[in-house]
Amino acid sequence: MLVRLCAAAFISFLTISSVQAQVRSPSRLPDPRIEFVRQCAPRMLGRWEHPEEVCGCLHDHAAAVVEDRDLREALLRGISETGVPTIETDWVPTSKQSEIGPTFTKIAKPTLQCMFDPAKHGS
């Protein structure tokens, strides 16, 4: 009897601890890709048939080819704010502003593929 009582108490303790851990777990930060698509898609409405696909493709393929973090973040900001690939010079450090032009050359092909055929990107 005592063994059953202790086992029941132990199981109850585990259940309560599990529920409390779930309640106390910090809320996860939003996925940067999902947040980008959420901000980008409204800018693409009326331009493209599937704005979420275009935005996801731009994030995954066009911006992904930009190795420099500052330039990539500026590009993602430009797309999500304007709906087109753009980088404002004041969004990147002065030392990297000369890389804006070469960055657009680098993203030209994946950007066009994303905008005109996002489902077949990479084919």
Side-chain angles (χ1 to χ4, degrees):
M1 175 86 163
L2 182 58
V3 172
R4 279 194 247 164
L5 182 60
C6 288
F10 182 71
I11 290 172
S12 295
F13 174 77
L14 288 178
T15 303
I16 291 170
S17 295
S18 173
V19 169
Q20 286 178 342
Q22 289 174 359
V23 170
R24 280 190 261 155
S25 66
S27 61
R28 300 185 122 207
L29 295 175
D31 177 345
R33 182 186 188 279
I34 292 171
E35 185 62 19
F36 170 78
V37 171
R38 185 189 69 74
Q39 291 176 3
C40 170
R43 307 270 187 237
M44 299 293 183
L45 289 175
R47 294 182 188 178
W48 310 107
E49 189 174 335
H50 302 286
E52 294 84 8
E53 285 181 31
V54 173
C55 291
C57 184
L58 288 171
H59 181 278
D60 297 346
H61 298 286
V65 301
V66 180
E67 293 92 15
D68 183 86
R69 182 178 178 204
D70 293 323
L71 289 165
R72 183 176 49 253
E73 287 179 7
L75 175 63
L76 290 171
R77 177 180 175 183
I79 296 168
S80 67
E81 289 183 6
T82 66
V84 295
T86 187
I87 298 175
E88 296 291 330
T89 54
D90 60 338
W91 294 347
V92 294
T94 305
S95 62
K96 296 180 183 178
Q97 290 177 0
S98 65
E99 293 299 312
I100 293 173
T103 297
F104 282 112
T105 299
K106 183 181 259 188
I107 68 163
K109 183 177 179 180
T111 297
L112 290 173
Q113 287 176 320
C114 287
M115 292 184 153
F116 294 103
D117 203 358
K120 293 185 180 177
H121 186 275
S123 299

